[in-house]
Amino acid sequence: MYLIGQGMTGGYGGADIIKDCTIGVDKGEIAVIVGPNGAGKSTAMKAMLGMLTIRQGHVRLGDKDITRLTPQARVGEGIAFVPQTNNVFTGMSVEENLEMGAYLRRDDIRHTMAQIYDLFPILKEKRRQNAGELSGGQRQQVAVGRALMTRPSVLMLDEPTAGVSPIVMGELFDRIIEVRDTGLAVLMVEQNARQALEIADRGYVLVGGVNWREGTGEELLANPEVRKSFLGG
Amino acid sequence: MPEATDILNALVLMTNFVFVPALAYGSQLALGALGVTLVFGILRFANFAHGDLMAFGTTIVILMTWGLQAQGITAGPVPTALIALVPAILVTAIAAILIDRSVFGFYRKRRAAPVVLVIASVGVMFMLSAIVRFIMGTDDRRFSDGERFIIRAREFREMTGLDEGLAIQTTQALTVGVAIVTVTALFVFLRRSRTGKAMRAYSDNEDLALLSGINPDRVVLITWIIAAALATIAGALYGLDKSFKPFTYFQLLLPIFAAAILGGIGQPIGAVVGGYIVAFSEVMMTYAYKRFATYLVPETWAPEGLLQFLGTDYKFAVSFIILVVVLLIRPTGIFRGAVIK
């Protein structure tokens, strides 16, 4: 797989939150991490981004070991991350948010910006408005757009649909599929497990910080154990 | 009804004793508050050493001015200090960066709470004020040269035939002019340049700025350079306009913080608006309106008292009241800044 965290064990200084956990995603596919509250879903993703140090295991991107890199260095390597909250610069315009996403790039960013406006047409309309004045769904679009400005090979999303309406969620998932189809590896943590697994090429169910079940989205949705445990039957 | 000339006289009187001095003082406060607000926005602590950084910058300006004068270099009609500003900003910026490297950087790396940095800044304040007193002493110093007035009161009276005169000092006009140029340059920098936008992004959302690849060390470095430049300019303009006395720069902290918090700390535009509001409030509350009133009301109504709300000795009370009222009623200030914790 293109990005893989293998046998990751670690936490935020105290007890281990994830134990021997393995998550991976390939280019051109969507991998979704689901599981009950406190299962270590976000922690597993943050470990792959380098926001916590893992005691055991390693993270590989392509054929490069990135286990010891800082989050900033991993961003430079082509991993983009959309945090769950505070994921836009509220006091800056939509366009400036996108520009900041491309801060590391020294080449012409207009083409990438045009692509993002194609993907999220509403952002083009509101490009002069402050991101803090937008609705929740539009803010998520800005957040994803900002992350895509680096032209990453991996896009990580931490609960992108938290707090948005079901219609907006559906739209956002459609856009994420479009992003995948451009050849990116998309890894996301989702609270809305059923809808997320519907679009997932690969799904991971974490329970108590360990891999519990994995498979394609369809397989997991059809799996009676998974359904019973937390898809509500 | 007062006659037209009386109304004109009253207006000239107000312009001369309220509008012009408050505009100059407001410009100085605005520049000072901008420095405080920028440091707060980026480094997230209230820098109590800013007043003494202004005094330090002014000290360097004065030393450079003397040096230039000794070599026979002057700026003609405008104060020589204007030339001295440029190298003085450089020296002050280096001092600010060294202080950051040795003091604030130490606590930043340990992720110390903002209050720890505030207390550290009090230490820096004492240190800087000691250095300034060591170099300059504690007395009043005037370092303004060149033409003293643009318009003299007598000339104005002869020109217009009014009873009241209007005097505009070179330093007052210079203060307003330099402030406009500085503030405009700063706003263009923050709005348009890549580095300025990175500073705004860092101030807006530090974590996301790091995820976007913005280098925090560089942002901090540039913030100190700008803060030092603003402090030096504000301090030198204040010293030119009034006089240089180290203690008054410490006292300026109160109106400067009142201005920054009133405008919304962390918001540059707020610092400017706050600076003028505080300055105008202070001057208007301590001005004696007796003469102004005698122009406008019939002689028999002439007031007996001075019509002064507060004695000038109490001028700091105005800043203090503004500060307390803002914190009670709208802690985020006019432009919705942060709340100091």
Coordinates of all heavy atoms in Angstrom, one line a residue, chain A residues 134-185:
Chain A
L134 N -18.6 31.8 6.8 CA -19.3 30.8 5.9 C -20.1 29.8 6.8 O -19.8 29.7 8.0 CB -18.3 30.0 5.1 CG -17.4 30.9 4.2 CD1 -16.5 29.9 3.4 CD2 -18.3 31.7 3.2
S135 N -21.0 29.0 6.2 CA -21.7 28.0 6.9 C -20.8 26.8 7.2 O -19.7 26.7 6.6 CB -22.9 27.5 6.0 OG -22.4 26.8 4.9
G136 N -21.2 25.9 8.0 CA -20.4 24.7 8.4 C -19.9 23.9 7.2 O -18.8 23.6 7.1
G137 N -20.8 23.6 6.3 CA -20.5 22.8 5.1 C -19.5 23.5 4.2 O -18.6 22.9 3.7
Q138 N -19.7 24.9 4.0 CA -18.8 25.6 3.2 C -17.4 25.7 3.8 O -16.4 25.6 3.1 CB -19.4 27.0 2.9 CG -20.6 27.0 2.0 CD -21.4 28.3 2.1 OE1 -21.0 29.2 2.9 NE2 -22.4 28.4 1.3
R139 N -17.4 25.8 5.1 CA -16.1 25.8 5.8 C -15.3 24.5 5.6 O -14.1 24.6 5.4 CB -16.3 25.9 7.3 CG -16.3 27.3 7.8 CD -16.2 27.2 9.3 NE -16.9 28.3 10.0 CZ -16.5 28.8 11.1 NH1 -15.4 28.3 11.8 NH2 -17.1 29.8 11.7
Q140 N -16.1 23.4 5.6 CA -15.4 22.1 5.4 C -14.8 22.1 4.0 O -13.7 21.6 3.8 CB -16.4 21.0 5.5 CG -16.8 20.7 7.0 CD -15.6 20.5 7.9 OE1 -15.0 21.4 8.3 NE2 -15.3 19.2 8.3
Q141 N -15.5 22.7 3.0 CA -15.0 22.8 1.7 C -13.7 23.6 1.6 O -12.8 23.2 0.9 CB -16.0 23.4 0.7 CG -17.3 22.5 0.6 CD -18.3 23.1 -0.4 OE1 -18.0 24.0 -1.1 NE2 -19.5 22.5 -0.4
V142 N -13.7 24.7 2.3 CA -12.5 25.5 2.4 C -11.4 24.7 3.0 O -10.2 24.7 2.5 CB -12.7 26.8 3.3 CG1 -11.4 27.6 3.4 CG2 -13.8 27.7 2.6
A143 N -11.7 24.0 4.1 CA -10.7 23.2 4.8 C -10.1 22.1 3.8 O -8.8 22.0 3.8 CB -11.3 22.5 6.0
V144 N -10.9 21.4 3.1 CA -10.4 20.4 2.1 C -9.7 21.1 1.0 O -8.6 20.7 0.6 CB -11.6 19.6 1.6 CG1 -11.1 18.6 0.5 CG2 -12.3 18.8 2.7
G145 N -10.2 22.2 0.6 CA -9.5 23.0 -0.5 C -8.1 23.4 -0.1 O -7.1 23.3 -0.8
R146 N -8.0 23.9 1.1 CA -6.7 24.4 1.7 C -5.7 23.2 1.6 O -4.6 23.3 1.2 CB -6.9 24.9 3.1 CG -5.6 25.5 3.7 CD -5.6 25.4 5.2 NE -5.6 24.0 5.7 CZ -4.6 23.2 5.7 NH1 -3.4 23.7 5.4 NH2 -4.7 22.0 6.2
A147 N -6.2 22.0 2.1 CA -5.3 20.9 2.2 C -4.9 20.4 0.8 O -3.7 20.0 0.6 CB -6.0 19.7 2.9
L148 N -5.8 20.6 -0.2 CA -5.4 20.1 -1.6 C -4.5 21.0 -2.3 O -3.9 20.7 -3.3 CB -6.7 19.9 -2.4 CG -7.6 18.8 -2.0 CD1 -8.9 18.8 -2.8 CD2 -6.9 17.4 -2.2
M149 N -4.3 22.3 -1.8 CA -3.5 23.2 -2.4 C -2.0 22.8 -2.5 O -1.3 23.3 -3.3 CB -3.6 24.6 -1.8 CG -4.8 25.4 -2.1 SD -5.1 25.7 -3.8 CE -3.8 26.9 -4.1
T150 N -1.6 22.0 -1.6 CA -0.2 21.5 -1.6 C 0.0 20.5 -2.8 O 1.1 20.0 -2.9 CB 0.2 20.8 -0.3 OG1 -0.8 19.9 0.0 CG2 0.3 21.8 0.8
R151 N -1.0 20.1 -3.5 CA -1.0 19.0 -4.4 C -0.5 17.7 -3.8 O 0.5 17.2 -4.2 CB -0.2 19.4 -5.7 CG -0.9 20.2 -6.6 CD -0.1 20.4 -7.9 NE 1.2 21.0 -7.6 CZ 2.0 21.5 -8.5 NH1 1.7 21.4 -9.7 NH2 3.2 21.9 -8.1
P152 N -1.2 17.3 -2.7 CA -0.7 16.1 -2.0 C -0.9 14.8 -2.7 O -1.7 14.8 -3.7 CB -1.5 16.2 -0.7 CG -2.8 16.8 -1.2 CD -2.5 17.7 -2.2
S153 N -0.3 13.8 -2.2 CA -0.6 12.4 -2.7 C -1.5 11.7 -1.8 O -2.1 10.7 -2.2 CB 0.7 11.7 -3.0 OG 1.5 11.7 -1.8
V154 N -1.6 12.2 -0.5 CA -2.5 11.6 0.5 C -3.3 12.7 1.1 O -2.7 13.7 1.5 CB -1.7 10.9 1.6 CG1 -2.6 10.3 2.6 CG2 -0.8 9.8 1.0
L155 N -4.6 12.5 1.2 CA -5.4 13.4 1.9 C -6.0 12.8 3.1 O -6.7 11.7 3.0 CB -6.6 13.9 1.0 CG -7.6 14.9 1.6 CD1 -6.9 16.2 1.9 CD2 -8.8 15.1 0.6
M156 N -5.8 13.3 4.3 CA -6.3 12.8 5.5 C -7.4 13.7 6.1 O -7.2 14.9 6.1 CB -5.2 12.7 6.6 CG -4.2 11.6 6.4 SD -3.2 11.5 7.9 CE -2.1 10.3 7.4
L157 N -8.5 13.1 6.4 CA -9.7 13.9 6.9 C -10.1 13.4 8.2 O -10.4 12.2 8.4 CB -10.8 13.8 5.9 CG -10.5 14.3 4.5 CD1 -11.3 13.4 3.5 CD2 -10.9 15.7 4.3
D158 N -10.2 14.2 9.2 CA -10.6 13.8 10.6 C -12.1 14.2 10.7 O -12.3 15.4 10.9 CB -9.7 14.4 11.6 CG -9.9 13.8 13.0 OD1 -10.8 12.9 13.1 OD2 -9.3 14.2 14.0
E159 N -12.9 13.3 10.6 CA -14.4 13.5 10.8 C -14.9 14.7 10.0 O -15.3 15.7 10.6 CB -14.8 13.6 12.2 CG -14.5 12.3 13.0 CD -15.2 12.2 14.3 OE1 -16.2 12.9 14.5 OE2 -14.7 11.4 15.2
P160 N -14.7 14.7 8.7 CA -15.1 15.8 7.9 C -16.6 16.2 7.9 O -16.9 17.3 7.7 CB -14.7 15.4 6.4 CG -14.7 14.0 6.4 CD -14.3 13.6 7.8
T161 N -17.4 15.2 8.3 CA -18.9 15.6 8.3 C -19.4 15.8 9.7 O -20.6 15.9 9.9 CB -19.7 14.4 7.7 OG1 -19.5 13.2 8.5 CG2 -19.2 14.1 6.3
A162 N -18.5 16.0 10.7 CA -19.0 16.3 12.0 C -19.8 17.6 12.0 O -19.3 18.6 11.6 CB -17.8 16.4 13.0
G163 N -21.0 17.6 12.5 CA -21.8 18.8 12.6 C -22.4 19.4 11.3 O -22.8 20.5 11.3
V164 N -22.4 18.6 10.2 CA -23.0 19.2 9.0 C -24.3 18.3 8.8 O -24.4 17.2 9.2 CB -22.1 19.2 7.8 CG1 -20.9 20.0 8.1 CG2 -21.7 17.8 7.3
S165 N -25.2 18.9 8.0 CA -26.5 18.3 7.7 C -26.3 17.1 6.8 O -25.3 17.0 6.1 CB -27.5 19.3 7.1 OG -27.0 19.6 5.8
P166 N -27.2 16.1 6.8 CA -27.1 14.9 5.9 C -26.9 15.3 4.4 O -26.1 14.6 3.7 CB -28.4 14.2 6.1 CG -28.9 14.6 7.5 CD -28.4 16.0 7.7
I167 N -27.6 16.3 4.0 CA -27.5 16.7 2.6 C -26.1 17.2 2.3 O -25.4 16.8 1.3 CB -28.5 17.8 2.2 CG1 -29.9 17.3 2.4 CG2 -28.3 18.3 0.8 CD1 -31.0 18.4 2.4
V168 N -25.6 18.0 3.2 CA -24.2 18.6 3.0 C -23.2 17.4 3.1 O -22.2 17.3 2.3 CB -23.9 19.6 4.1 CG1 -22.4 20.0 4.0 CG2 -24.8 20.8 3.9
M169 N -23.5 16.4 4.0 CA -22.6 15.3 4.1 C -22.5 14.5 2.8 O -21.4 14.2 2.3 CB -23.1 14.4 5.2 CG -22.3 13.1 5.4 SD -22.7 12.3 6.9 CE -24.3 11.7 6.5
G170 N -23.7 14.3 2.2 CA -23.7 13.6 0.9 C -22.9 14.3 -0.1 O -22.1 13.7 -0.9
E171 N -23.1 15.6 -0.2 CA -22.3 16.4 -1.2 C -20.8 16.3 -1.0 O -20.1 16.1 -1.9 CB -22.8 17.9 -1.1 CG -23.6 18.3 -2.2 CD -24.1 19.7 -1.9 OE1 -23.3 20.6 -1.7 OE2 -25.4 19.9 -1.9
L172 N -20.4 16.4 0.3 CA -19.0 16.4 0.7 C -18.4 15.1 0.3 O -17.3 15.0 -0.3 CB -18.9 16.7 2.2 CG -17.5 17.2 2.6 CD1 -17.2 18.5 2.0 CD2 -17.5 17.4 4.1
F173 N -19.2 14.0 0.5 CA -18.7 12.6 0.2 C -18.5 12.5 -1.4 O -17.6 11.9 -1.9 CB -19.6 11.5 0.7 CG -19.4 11.2 2.2 CD1 -20.3 10.6 2.9 CD2 -18.2 11.6 2.8 CE1 -20.1 10.3 4.3 CE2 -18.0 11.3 4.1 CZ -18.9 10.6 4.9
D174 N -19.5 13.1 -2.1 CA -19.4 13.1 -3.6 C -18.1 13.8 -4.0 O -17.4 13.3 -4.9 CB -20.5 13.8 -4.2 CG -21.8 13.0 -4.1 OD1 -21.7 11.8 -3.8 OD2 -22.9 13.5 -4.3
R175 N -17.7 14.9 -3.4 CA -16.5 15.6 -3.7 C -15.3 14.8 -3.4 O -14.3 14.8 -4.1 CB -16.4 17.0 -3.0 CG -17.5 18.0 -3.3 CD -17.4 18.5 -4.7 NE -18.2 17.7 -5.6 CZ -19.5 17.9 -5.7 NH1 -20.1 18.8 -5.0 NH2 -20.3 17.2 -6.6
I176 N -15.4 14.1 -2.2 CA -14.2 13.3 -1.8 C -14.0 12.2 -2.8 O -12.8 11.8 -3.1 CB -14.4 12.8 -0.4 CG1 -14.3 14.0 0.6 CG2 -13.4 11.7 0.0 CD1 -14.8 13.7 2.0
I177 N -15.1 11.6 -3.4 CA -14.9 10.6 -4.4 C -14.2 11.2 -5.6 O -13.4 10.6 -6.2 CB -16.3 10.0 -4.8 CG1 -16.9 9.2 -3.6 CG2 -16.2 9.1 -6.0 CD1 -18.3 8.8 -3.7
E178 N -14.6 12.4 -6.0 CA -14.0 13.1 -7.1 C -12.5 13.2 -6.9 O -11.7 13.1 -7.8 CB -14.6 14.5 -7.4 CG -15.9 14.4 -8.1 CD -16.4 15.8 -8.4 OE1 -15.6 16.7 -8.9 OE2 -17.6 16.1 -8.1
V179 N -12.1 13.6 -5.6 CA -10.7 13.8 -5.3 C -10.0 12.4 -5.4 O -8.9 12.4 -6.0 CB -10.6 14.3 -3.8 CG1 -9.1 14.2 -3.4 CG2 -11.1 15.7 -3.7
R180 N -10.6 11.4 -5.0 CA -10.0 10.0 -5.1 C -9.8 9.7 -6.5 O -8.7 9.2 -6.9 CB -11.0 9.0 -4.5 CG -10.5 7.6 -4.7 CD -11.6 6.5 -4.5 NE -12.6 6.7 -5.5 CZ -13.8 6.0 -5.5 NH1 -14.0 5.2 -4.5 NH2 -14.7 6.2 -6.4
D181 N -10.8 10.0 -7.4 CA -10.7 9.6 -8.8 C -9.5 10.4 -9.5 O -9.2 10.0 -10.6 CB -12.0 9.9 -9.5 CG -13.1 8.9 -9.0 OD1 -12.7 7.9 -8.3 OD2 -14.3 9.2 -9.2
T182 N -9.0 11.4 -8.9 CA -7.8 12.1 -9.5 C -6.5 11.3 -9.1 O -5.5 11.7 -9.5 CB -7.7 13.5 -9.1 OG1 -7.5 13.6 -7.7 CG2 -8.9 14.4 -9.4
G183 N -6.7 10.2 -8.4 CA -5.5 9.4 -8.1 C -4.9 9.6 -6.7 O -3.9 9.1 -6.4
L184 N -5.6 10.4 -5.8 CA -5.1 10.6 -4.5 C -5.5 9.4 -3.6 O -6.5 8.7 -3.8 CB -5.7 11.8 -3.9 CG -4.9 13.1 -3.9 CD1 -4.8 13.7 -5.3 CD2 -5.4 14.1 -2.9
A185 N -4.7 9.2 -2.6 CA -5.1 8.3 -1.5 C -5.8 9.1 -0.5 O -5.3 10.1 0.0 CB -3.8 7.6 -0.9

